[in-house]
Every structure is written in C-alpha cells, then in structure tokens.
Amino acid sequence: FIKELRSKFGYSFQDVQILNVNAVQESLVSDGITSSLLTGISYDTRNRLNVFETTEGFISTLDSELAGFSVLGGDTDFLKMELEHKHYFLAFNNDVPVLGGSNFGLRGKLGMLFATSDNPIPIFERYFPGGMYSIRGFGIRTLGPTIDVASASDPETLVNREFHIGGNKEAVFNFEYIFPILKNQGVKGVVFFD
C-alpha cells in the first residue's frame, strides 16, 4: 500500500452558451461566464493493482469551487462543496476456491451547492445524478428535480414533464461485490446496489 496525500488549487474560466431550447425553456436556463477558484485535498491508501483495479484501501476527497464575487467576476456566484469516500476490502483471500480474490467496494458522495448572491445558479452547475459513474441503471443526468414546462411557445400545447432543472444537493451511495470470472485473463463481474 502507498499512502498518498494530495492537494490541488486552480482557476477555471468558462463561457457557456445554451443552444437548442425553445422560447419557454430559455427563460429557465442562463448562460454566461463562470470564473471560479478550485481547491481540493485527497488521501489515498488503495493498493492499485493496475489502472482500473484495486482490492483494498480507500480514497477520501474534499473539493470546493467558489465562483463569482467582485474579485473573480463573471455572471455566476456560487459555492460548491463535495465530499467523496471510496473504500475497498477483500471478501475472500486468493486461496479460497471460486470466490478467492473477490472484494467489496463502498462509495459515498455528498455535494452541496450554495448561491452567494441573488443571481440564480446556472443549470449546468446543478446536480443531475444518473449513469455509469453515479447511479447505474438510469440514463446519464436523468435524475433530480423536474418541472412542468410547455413544449413550445404556445401555452395551449402539450406539457413537457421531463425538463430537469437539477438539484442544489446530492447524496449518492454505491455498494458492489466484484468477483473473478476468468482470473488469468483479468475478467471480473460485478453485482451492485446504488
């Protein structure tokens, strides 16, 4: 095991343009410039067997992003804080027949987004869970708050109930059991609950 403590500090400048939304939906989204400071710290004790595989140890990460204020400028003002912990441990030693080399993986991620002015938080900064790296079994960015929005400029038209506005907080928990299928070839299977 290698114990590793890392910190990061950076600056981000984004000019986002929202395209392909109708006139009704356009009032719900805002584009513009986001100027932000990024900070983070992580502690890693995983036994990385290769780029994709680990069987024991953990990694904990705390990240923050501060956008706007008079010093940074831009069109958006918010504070985003995220805490994530991944923990792996062996279920059975390698000498156990069939199940040897299998392990458990646990992951928890919490995120909070705070507005720091009267400006609304842009939709592209909000939380939209779903997908392979978040909550498997759902499409990418398909979970979270939705509102009823007319599907065209004419209010007499049908209502589009699938307009996702995203959330200002997120809690994702994953549990998985990883087991070897073909040990020598490195093929593994996974059973998960998200």
Side-chain angles (χ1 to χ4, degrees):
F1 291 93
I2 297 174
K3 294 182 179 178
E4 187 175 86
L5 179 65
R6 287 186 177 191
S7 62
K8 65 181 178 181
F9 183 79
Y11 172 75
S12 173
F13 181 88
Q14 298 178 31
D15 187 359
V16 176
Q17 302 293 319
I18 307 287
L19 304 172
N20 298 326
V21 294
N22 65 42
V24 175
Q25 295 169 344
E26 190 174 331
S27 65
L28 300 170
V29 296
S30 58
D31 51 14
I33 293 174
T34 300
S35 174
S36 60
L37 291 176
L38 310 167
T39 60
I41 188 167
S42 68
Y43 185 61
D44 191 350
T45 68
R46 296 173 296 169
N47 67 335
R48 286 167 265 171
L49 304 178
N50 58 48
V51 176
F52 303 105
E53 184 179 11
T54 189
T55 58
E56 292 183 272
F58 69 87
I59 180 168
S60 293
T61 306
L62 176 63
D63 290 318
S64 68
E65 180 178 6
L66 178 63
F69 292 104
S70 57
V71 176
L72 297 172
D75 301 317
T76 60
D77 301 296
F78 64 85
L79 172 64
K80 185 184 279 189
M81 303 286 293
E82 296 180 340
L83 175 65
E84 183 174 18
H85 181 80
K86 298 177 186 174
H87 204 114
Y88 303 91
F89 52 95
L90 283 175
F92 301 97
N93 290 327
N94 282 327
D95 54 352
V96 175
V98 181
L99 298 176
S102 62
N103 65 298
F104 292 105
L106 303 170
R107 173 184 176 241
K109 181 179 179 186
L110 301 172
M112 293 289 292
L113 183 58
F114 305 94
T116 56
S117 74
D118 293 335
N119 296 336
I121 297 172
I123 198 164
F124 54 85
E125 293 293 346
R126 296 177 164 274
Y127 292 108
F128 293 87
M132 183 175 171
Y133 300 105
S134 174
I135 301 177
R136 294 164 282 198
F138 293 91
I140 295 173
R141 299 176 58 93
T142 57
L143 300 174
T146 61
I147 58 173
D148 296 344
V149 176
S151 57
S153 299
D154 180 5
E156 300 297 321
T157 62
L158 297 174
V159 171
N160 176 5
R161 298 186 188 276
E162 293 300 318
F163 192 80
H164 296 274
I165 59 170
N168 63 350
K169 46 189 147 310
E170 173 181 70
V172 175
F173 300 98
N174 312 106
F175 173 81
E176 56 189 21
Y177 174 64
I178 305 158
F179 56 93
I181 295 175
L182 299 171
K183 283 187 182 181
N184 294 337
Q185 290 75 21
V187 177
K188 295 191 172 197
V190 63
V191 176
F192 62 86
F193 178 79
D194 294 342

